[in-house]
Amino acid sequence: MWKPDRQSRKPVYEQIADHLEQRIAYGEFPPGSLLPSERKLAEQLGVNRSTVILAFSELRALGIIESRSGSGTRVSQHKWGATPRHTPNWKRYAEGGSFLPNVPFLRRIREALQQNPSLIDFASGELSGDLAPLNEIAALMQDHHYASYLGYVNPQGYIPLRQALVAYLDKYRGIQTTESSILITSGSQQSLFLITQCLLSPGDAVAIEDPSYAYSLPMFQSAGLRLFRLPVDHDGMCPDDLHALYKKHRIKMIFTNPNFQNPTGMVLHEERRAKLLEAARELGLPIVEDDPYSLTDYNGLPRPSLKSVDSTGSIIYIGSLSKIAASGLRIGWMVAPNAIVERLADARQQMDFGLSVIPQQVAAQFLSSEHFEPHLDRLRMQLLYKRDLLIEALQKELPDAVQYEIPQGGIHMWCRLIPAIHDAKLLEEAIKHGVVFVPGSVYGSDSGFVRFTFARAKTEDIGPGIARFAKALRALTP
């Protein structure tokens, strides 16, 4: 985000005025559009409100903007030779369409991190830079030539990567498959998007966990799906109500994250796995198994996947490198019946003609290299260390104010606050104190739950981050 240059001889208010005039001239703020408020713009730019008031005064004097009491400040309708009847109503377009924006809390968190990168980040569901295999990937890229062909690749994905995944899935997840049953995606989220858009129809009912990462994804509502919840406790998702849901609502598909579930970190108990699979077989229901965290199991023995015991071909299996290597690689995969893979590959080709071949080549080399297993060992050790630092900080700062179950893998800690605090107030107070987290209601819970992601924050920031959160919590409690 642009910031004024405080070393420049030009006054800050003039820099702001020039910057806004340029953005207006480029059409970022068309005639008649509303500008950010003086207070919000001052926060974004890190200046006093009085400085923004001076900048707005300059632009008003030039006839570029106009202000009305109670209506805010807008770009002049008649500057640049524009006339109102020829100006598209961009606000209406931005609010239109069938694809919904992110939930407000997630947009607020993203905005806060953009405005203040120094915030301690317990919200972003990704690995920190020091956990990524940067040196290993750099060595692979130095040793291999990746530019032999830069055209479109097979719509299902780069064939050597799919071949490497066949071996990877067999060795680490107990899944036996072939390259023709694998679709390469940009990550688990694109896999879910393709499934909701191509395999389901508006009005279809699907079962998700409660709480669930799926609940935070507007793509389900954008697809017009009806969401019905199966509760999650210390033994993972409870499938007991599945038959009743199917009978009442004609459930079409089940979405589950059985290993180190997001956001709770729980693992689906063996008995419940058997019940879920049996119910799916009886009802003829497909299960979408999202499995991003299994290889982070801290004891080094990953829990089995549902797909590994799928004897009827009922499961679409989703995985990615985002939580075990680096989200920036944008490499995910889906294992499904060949007819489904072909259908979704065709749809994905219509979207983007497939992924860049270079990260697919890197991923294929990394999965097959001698570097992969040592990286996993180091990752598990470092995640365990970060988890323990988080627990130590919670016990020190909030000994009687939070309840939680200790996860044995994954990157999230799910906490219940005592007493419950209104989500919006707590998030804003935490931002003021220099820390962000994800409120539990994002995942379908009531107020009073929070998700701390300990993989993104720096090791040295975990203790201070929880201390800041504790101060924010105490500021809102009697």
Side-chain angles (χ1 to χ4, degrees):
M1 177 180 288
W2 178 87
K3 299 279 187 181
D5 180 4
R6 297 185 181 276
Q7 306 302 317
S8 172
R9 294 183 179 180
K10 178 180 284 190
V12 170
Y13 80 90
E14 288 187 12
Q15 294 181 51
I16 295 172
D18 290 347
H19 177 68
L20 288 173
E21 182 178 1
Q22 184 182 63
R23 295 180 69 184
I24 291 168
Y26 289 167
E28 292 183 37
F29 293 109
S33 62
L34 186 66
L35 292 176
S37 68
E38 294 166 351
R39 178 191 59 78
K40 185 171 184 178
L41 191 57
E43 289 178 358
Q44 291 176 350
L45 300 179
V47 300
N48 293 327
R49 184 178 175 184
S50 58
T51 305
V52 175
I53 291 173
L54 284 174
F56 277 10
S57 296
E58 286 283 304
L59 295 175
R60 270 194 298 270
L62 295 171
I64 294 172
I65 64 174
E66 49 195 31
S67 301
R68 293 182 184 177
S69 180
S71 299
T73 301
R74 296 181 180 273
V75 178
S76 172
Q77 294 274 24
H78 304 288
K79 190 68 179 176
W80 324 111
T83 58
R85 63 180 179 274
H86 294 310
T87 301
N89 188 336
W90 291 117
K91 184 174 185 293
R92 184 177 299 170
Y93 280 100
E95 294 174 349
S98 60
F99 197 77
L100 300 174
N102 255 324
V103 296
F105 278 139
L106 296 182
R107 282 182 280 155
R108 178 66 183 110
I109 291 166
R110 182 176 61 200
E111 177 188 64
L113 288 169
Q114 288 174 342
Q115 291 176 2
N116 183 7
S118 66
L119 289 173
I120 295 177
D121 185 1
F122 290 128
S124 299
E126 62 177 338
L127 304 179
S128 57
D130 61 310
L131 298 182
L134 300 180
N135 293 332
E136 293 90 335
I137 288 176
L140 288 172
M141 295 186 73
Q142 186 173 6
D143 293 341
H144 295 84
H145 183 62
Y146 292 118
S148 59
Y149 177 67
L150 292 179
Y152 299 128
V153 298
N154 188 297
Q156 283 185 225
Y158 182 57
I159 293 175
L161 174 55
R162 287 189 278 136
Q163 292 169 337
L165 281 167
V166 169
Y168 161 87
L169 291 166
D170 183 29
K171 179 177 180 179
Y172 293 100
R173 306 306 302 125
I175 297 172
Q176 295 184 337
T177 187
T178 65
E179 63 191 63
S180 63
S181 294
I182 296 176
L183 172 68
I184 305 301
T185 68
S186 64
S188 296
Q189 201 146 314
Q190 187 182 62
S191 297
L192 291 171
F193 178 81
L194 289 168
I195 290 168
T196 57
Q197 290 293 321
C198 302
L199 306 185
L200 297 165
S201 300
D204 282 350
V206 300
I208 65 171
E209 296 160 326
D210 178 20
S212 171
Y213 174 67
Y215 191 83
S216 72
L217 300 175
M219 70 175 71
F220 283 80
Q221 289 88 350
S222 297
L225 303 179
R226 294 179 294 140
L227 305 181
F228 295 93
R229 307 183 199 179
L230 296 169
V232 173
D233 59 22
H234 63 279
D235 286 328
M237 181 183 74
C238 181
D240 292 347
D241 295 335
L242 192 54
H243 282 86
L245 282 178
Y246 177 80
K247 184 176 181 180
K248 186 174 181 179
H249 301 290
R250 287 296 181 264
I251 298 295
K252 290 287 187 69
M253 193 173 281
I254 306 164
F255 291 82
T256 183
N257 173 198
N259 291 327
F260 312 119
Q261 192 251 7
N262 184 5
T264 66
M266 296 298 100
V267 175
L268 187 60
H269 190 276
E270 186 175 341
E271 290 183 5
R272 291 188 177 180
R273 289 172 184 250
K275 283 185 179 181
L276 175 62
L277 291 171
E278 183 59 30
R281 293 186 191 110
E282 289 179 8
L283 301 173
L285 286 176
I287 297 173
V288 176
E289 179 184 9
D290 189 6
D291 189 29
Y293 305 109
S294 286
L295 295 194
T296 65
D297 198 315
Y298 304 144
N299 67 15
L301 299 172
R303 316 297 166 97
S305 65
L306 292 176
K307 182 67 175 174
S308 65
V309 292
D310 176 24
S311 60
T312 58
S314 301
I315 296 177
I316 296 176
Y317 178 86
I318 292 173
S320 81
L321 288 179
S322 295
K323 313 305 181 188
I324 59 172
S327 55
L329 283 173
R330 307 313 304 135
I331 295 294
W333 50 85
M334 186 189 309
V335 181
N338 187 250
I340 298 300
V341 169
E342 289 180 354
R343 168 72 175 98
L344 300 186
D346 175 75
R348 219 278 306 282
Q349 188 178 35
Q350 294 179 55
M351 293 168 55
D352 57 15
F353 278 98
L355 305 174
S356 167
V357 68
I358 294 176
Q360 292 187 77
Q361 291 174 328
V362 172
Q365 291 291 340
F366 180 55
L367 288 172
S368 305
S369 74
E370 61 183 11
H371 302 298
F372 184 65
E373 202 151 326
H375 162 70
L376 287 180
D377 291 338
R378 185 172 63 254
L379 174 66
R380 286 189 283 255
M381 180 179 65
Q382 291 172 318
L383 286 176
L384 177 60
Y385 180 59
K386 285 190 170 186
R387 184 208 66 177
D388 289 346
L389 284 176
L390 179 63
I391 293 171
E392 181 182 333
L394 289 171
Q395 291 174 343
K396 175 184 177 182
E397 302 291 344
L398 298 164
D400 301 314
V402 293
Q403 293 178 337
Y404 52 84
E405 294 204 33
I406 298 175
Q408 300 305 309
I411 62 175
H412 308 299
M413 179 80 78
W414 182 245
C415 298
R416 179 175 177 267
L417 302 178
I418 309 170
I421 302 294
H422 189 275
D423 279 350
K425 292 180 180 178
L426 182 56
L427 179 60
E428 290 302 324
E429 192 66 29
I431 290 171
K432 291 179 185 176
H433 282 80
V435 62
V436 288
F437 63 94
V438 182
S441 60
V442 168
Y443 306 106
S445 291
D446 296 328
S447 287
F449 288 85
V450 300
R451 190 196 77 177
F452 294 117
T453 298
F454 49 85
R456 181 68 178 85
K458 296 178 181 178
T459 299
E460 62 269 23
D461 286 341
I462 290 177
I466 294 300
R468 295 181 188 185
F469 177 84
K471 288 181 181 178
L473 184 62
R474 285 193 287 268
L476 297 175
T477 53

